[in-house]
């Protein structure tokens, strides 16, 4: 294959990286500017609504000799601020509709961060055994989110199997839940390109986060679903992965194999720690991640819970509710 950038350019796709102010993201977020059939442009992801994000996006458009006013459709891969944060502004500039999977609509619409929803998180985190100040981290994080991403007023649905026609290629929408419940990728089958956003990054694991989606108990089993979605992506005959952060890369099967074996080691470690007796996810988190900072507890707790759910699916552990706390116990042959 020619250089990834020129290969993408032949498809009428231009990657514009925009800076993101949190290191866990894995570097600048990519906005893919795609030439539309019949003129105009589409966006796959819209960057972040910070001043630096806006400036980088506008500079990218200028370098292409194009303007935001030419945008006809805005596709958002998933409901994280580094991917939809600038969508509202881009929409105001262009009048373009914004599309995303329905399971992430509440995030784009700002409905996922209301007072009542914070109370649901408070109750659930307490059941996981988390200290009360974790909720304060969540609350502060939600305020940051509002600062860097203005909510949209309307979002149109896309989902598994939606066909998208662009000027020089067609793509199919794949719903690959895990990193968020409504994450989608674009699969340009004829070109062999997977626009993978945060489902698949070359060097960063995808942080499947706890997500209540407005319920007292999550139905989204982030890591279990992620693993299934990763297996699905592994089977695609992709020549090039155009990710949500970092440079396009090849060899996605090896990247996925590495990631899955990394999670399996972590699951083995958790089983080992559970040999000491039943524990809450919050008791396990600092033992699994002894070097994590207190501000990372939400991430580490999500990661531990995700791995526990995978172990639960396999019948290696089970949960019990004891005095209002969810504890996990080893089961089956040791
Ligand atoms: Zn991201
Ligand atoms: Zn993300």
């Amino acid at each position: 294959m020619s250089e990834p950038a020129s290969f993408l350019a032949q498809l009428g796709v231009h990657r514009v990286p925009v800076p993101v102010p949190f290191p866990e993201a894995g570097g600048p977020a990519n906005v893919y500017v795609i030439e539309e059939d019949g003129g105009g442009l589409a966006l796959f992801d819209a960057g972040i609504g910070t001043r630096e994000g806006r400036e980088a996006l506008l500079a990218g458009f200028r370098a292409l000799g194009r303007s935001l006013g030419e945008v006809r459709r805005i596709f958002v891969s998933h409901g994280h601020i580094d991917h939809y944060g600038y969508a509202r502004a881009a929409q105001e500039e262009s009048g373009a509709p914004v599309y995303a999977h329905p399971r992430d609509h509440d995030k784009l619409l700002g409905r996922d961060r209301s007072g009542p929803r914070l109370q649901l998180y408070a109750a659930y985190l307490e059941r996981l055994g988390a200290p009360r100040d974790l909720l304060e981290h969540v609350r502060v994080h939600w305020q940051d989110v509002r600062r860097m991403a203005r909510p949209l007023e309307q979002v149109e649905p896309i989902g598994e199997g939606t066909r998208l026609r662009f000027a020089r290629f067609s793509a199919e929408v794949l719903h690959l839940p895990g990193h968020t419940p409504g994450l989608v990728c674009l699969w340009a089958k004829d070109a062999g390109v997977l626009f993978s956003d945060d489902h698949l990054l070359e060097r960063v694991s995808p942080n499947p986060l706890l997500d209540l989606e407005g319920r007292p108990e999550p139905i989204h089993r982030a890591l279990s679903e992620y693993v299934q979605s990763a297996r699905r992506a592994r089977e695609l005959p992709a020549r090039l992965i155009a990710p949500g952060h970092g440079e396009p890369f090849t060899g996605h099967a090896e990247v996925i194999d590495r990631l899955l074996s990394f999670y399996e080691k972590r699951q083995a470690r958790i089983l080992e720690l559970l040999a000491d007796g039943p524990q809450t996810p919050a008791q396990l988190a600092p033992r699994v991640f002894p070097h994590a900072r207190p501000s990372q507890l939400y991430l580490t707790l999500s990661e531990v819970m995700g791995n526990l759910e995978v172990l639960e699916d396999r019948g290696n552990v089970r949960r019990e509710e004891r005095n209002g706390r969810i504890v996990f116990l080893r089961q089956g042959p040791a």
Side-chain angles (χ1 to χ4, degrees):
M1 185 196 309
S2 55
E3 273 292 290
S6 58
F7 182 71
L8 289 176
Q10 285 164 27
L11 297 174
V13 177
H14 312 279
R15 181 173 70 95
V16 178
V18 302
V20 178
F22 32 91
E24 312 84 74
N30 292 324
V31 175
Y32 290 94
V33 179
I34 306 172
E35 286 164 31
E36 286 275 42
D37 213 6
L41 299 166
L43 299 184
F44 184 57
D45 280 336
I48 191 164
T50 57
R51 191 167 56 85
E52 295 78 7
R54 181 184 73 233
E55 282 169 5
L57 187 62
L58 294 180
F61 268 85
R62 272 197 304 278
L64 295 169
R66 311 296 294 255
S67 77
L68 267 181
E70 295 175 71
V71 173
R72 301 282 172 266
R73 296 184 290 177
I74 300 168
F75 299 100
V76 171
S77 64
H78 67 289
H80 284 164
I81 55 172
D82 44 338
H83 300 264
Y84 78 86
Y86 198 68
R88 177 76 189 265
Q91 176 172 62
E92 285 170 354
E93 198 66 38
S94 63
V98 174
Y99 299 85
H101 190 281
R103 276 184 77 184
D104 278 15
H105 280 197
D106 278 2
K107 294 179 175 59
L108 276 68
L109 295 166
R111 291 182 191 150
D112 202 40
R113 292 179 289 276
S114 62
R117 292 221 177 169
L118 193 67
Q119 289 317 306
L120 291 175
Y121 277 94
Y124 187 63
L125 291 172
E126 196 175 319
R127 286 172 64 207
L128 298 185
R132 287 191 165 273
D133 63 340
L134 177 57
L135 193 69
E136 188 54 24
H137 291 307
V138 173
R139 209 176 56 77
V140 170
H141 173 69
W142 285 13
Q143 285 166 355
D144 288 349
V145 164
R146 284 199 175 274
R147 237 174 358 87
M148 296 188 267
R150 279 165 57 214
L152 288 143
E153 272 173 8
Q154 198 186 330
V155 183
E156 311 299 329
I158 45 170
E160 178 65 30
T162 304
R163 302 281 309 173
L164 303 176
R165 169 97 209 115
F166 301 107
R168 298 195 213 157
F169 71 99
S170 296
E172 185 185 345
V173 173
L174 307 181
H175 177 216
L176 295 170
H179 179 69
T180 69
L183 181 141
V184 297
C185 296
L186 298 189
W187 170 229
K189 188 177 168 194
D190 295 338
V193 178
L194 179 68
F195 294 89
S196 68
D197 57 271
D198 288 4
H199 176 58
L200 190 54
L201 300 171
E202 194 174 14
R203 289 188 188 84
V204 185
S205 71
N207 292 330
L209 292 173
L210 284 175
D211 195 328
L212 291 176
E213 296 181 274
R215 297 179 181 84
E217 187 110 26
I219 56 163
H220 178 60
R221 291 165 76 84
L223 188 61
S224 303
E225 290 178 44
Y226 179 78
V227 168
Q228 275 184 40
S229 293
R231 294 218 167 96
R232 200 175 153 209
R234 195 192 184 286
E235 296 314 310
L236 298 173
R239 299 169 66 195
L240 186 70
I241 306 296
H245 301 264
E247 305 275 330
F249 61 92
T250 55
H252 71 300
E254 291 79 45
V255 171
I256 292 171
D257 290 344
R258 235 182 6 248
L259 196 63
L260 295 181
S261 79
F262 159 83
Y263 281 123
E264 269 163 28
K265 281 190 198 114
R266 187 154 283 159
Q267 286 145 22
R269 174 72 185 135
I270 290 173
L271 268 186
E272 204 176 279
L273 291 169
L274 280 176
D276 301 344
Q279 287 159 77
T280 63
Q283 283 171 320
L284 285 164
R287 300 185 72 199
V288 179
F289 297 96
H291 306 295
R293 293 187 300 276
S295 64
Q296 292 172 310
L297 182 58
Y298 194 76
L299 274 182
T300 57
L301 191 60
S302 291
E303 177 95 31
V304 165
M305 192 59 185
N307 281 290
L308 285 164
E309 285 167 349
V310 171
L311 289 166
E312 192 175 41
D313 292 344
R314 288 202 197 124
N316 297 127
V317 304
R318 66 187 164 85
R319 68 175 83 190
E320 274 180 17
E321 193 107 12
R322 294 185 180 175
N323 306 318
R325 297 277 188 278
I326 297 171
V327 297
F328 283 84
L329 301 82
R330 256 168 87 144
Q331 72 169 11

